[in-house]
Amino acid sequence: MLQIKSIPAFNDNYIWLIENSDQRCAVVDPGDARPVLAYLKEHQLTLEAILITHHHNDHIGGLSELLRHYPKIAVVGP
């Protein structure tokens, strides 16, 4: 079973997280890494993939920081 969660980012945006039943997840359009990293830690999740829908900064701004923490993570996007 998959669950979709929203992680608030900036003043008016969300980063979407898709979680399965064994604590693995993917994030969609991580514009900011800080709330993603905090959410992963708080909920003891393992990040398996990052999905990018397009290249606006509010969708990819956190990508480089997440790659520093997860250098071998799969990044899927256009």
Side-chain angles (χ1 to χ4, degrees), residues 3-46:
Q3 295 183 27
I4 299 173
K5 310 286 179 130
S6 59
I7 302 171
F10 310 113
N11 292 329
D12 61 351
N13 212 335
Y14 292 96
I15 298 165
W16 298 99
L17 182 135
I18 304 165
E19 177 184 345
N20 69 10
S21 59
D22 66 351
Q23 303 298 99
R24 294 182 299 135
C25 67
V27 291
V28 181
D29 294 336
D32 185 355
R34 290 172 293 169
V36 173
L37 294 169
Y39 190 95
L40 294 172
K41 183 177 180 180
E42 179 182 346
H43 297 279
Q44 300 177 346
L45 297 173
T46 301

Side-chain angles (χ1 to χ4, degrees), residues 55-74:
H55 294 100
H56 291 155
N57 195 49
D58 64 332
H59 290 251
I60 64 166
L63 188 55
S64 61
E65 179 68 18
L66 289 172
L67 288 173
R68 280 193 280 282
H69 287 269
Y70 301 92
K72 296 183 180 189
I73 193 95

